Amino acid sequence: SSADSLVAEYERVHDWIVSSLDAYRDELLPLSFALFAHTYVELVKRGAAATAAGFLQRHGRSKHALAHDEDLLALAKFTRWE
């Protein structure tokens, strides 16, 4: 599905950032959270709430909790596109 494709693209880009050279990784990691947040919102917007919730659980805490804990809590409250 298109929701699964969004998740796969996020995973691919995040993995690329994490495996990039040390000189670039610190500059690229903030982009990973921005992409994470955009992907989550896009999933909700497309009506894929269950996929969005799983995405938040699977990737939010493990990859972004240290730097973005409050942002993750705010995103978790966003479950419907109105």
Side-chain angles (χ1 to χ4, degrees), residues 2-3 6 37-53 75 78-82:
S2 65
L6 276 175
H38 174 78
T39 301
Y40 178 80
V41 169
E42 188 63 28
L43 289 168
V44 171
K45 183 179 175 182
R46 292 182 183 192
T51 302
L75 279 173
F78 179 67
T79 59
R80 282 191 326 241
W81 184 264
E82 295 181 10

Side-chain angles (χ1 to χ4, degrees), residues 10-26:
Y10 164 79
E11 291 170 344
R12 186 180 67 78
V13 172
H14 179 79
D15 291 347
W16 178 80
I17 289 171
V18 169
S19 66
S20 66
L21 295 173
D22 291 342
Y24 303 112
R25 188 176 309 125
D26 290 340

Side-chain angles (χ1 to χ4, degrees), residues 33 36-37 40-41 44 52-53 55-57 59-62 64-80:
F33 180 74
F36 170 83
Y40 178 80
V41 169
V44 171
F55 177 74
L56 184 67
Q57 285 296 107
H59 298 292
R61 296 276 167 226
S62 66
H64 302 291
L66 289 176
H68 298 282
D69 194 49
E70 290 182 23
D71 297 320
L72 291 170
L73 292 173
L75 279 173
K77 293 176 184 176
F78 179 67
T79 59
R80 282 191 326 241

